Amino acid sequence: MTRKPVSKPQPPANEDEEPMGETLAAVKAAIDAKKRWAPSAKQIGLGAAVGIGSAAIVAGLLYWRGNRK
């Protein structure tokens, strides 16, 4: 008995869209993913503020001399 190769079911083609090649589809998917995951200017500013603030706290703790007379 021989086995027949199992073919993957193809989704129905939309007639409204023009056909795309695999490369073009991959490029469009990469562009869409980059747009979704790109941080906004507000997020970058907030991250910088948190980083500077935490560095200031660490520096304050390192150079604190305590209650010396």
Side-chain angles (χ1 to χ4, degrees):
M1 190 184 277
T2 61
R3 291 185 149 211
K4 294 181 181 177
V6 179
S7 62
K8 295 181 183 177
Q10 298 294 326
N14 293 339
E15 294 183 16
D16 298 337
E17 297 179 7
E18 59 186 56
M20 290 191 292
E22 288 182 29
T23 306
L24 186 58
V27 169
K28 285 187 177 184
I31 290 171
D32 290 341
K34 188 173 182 179
K35 286 180 184 177
R36 282 194 308 264
W37 295 104
S40 67
K42 186 177 182 180
Q43 290 172 330
I44 292 172
L46 184 61
V50 168
I52 291 170
S54 62
I57 291 171
V58 169
L61 291 172
L62 286 174
Y63 292 109
W64 180 57
R65 297 182 143 240
N67 291 331
R68 293 188 181 179
K69 292 185 179 182

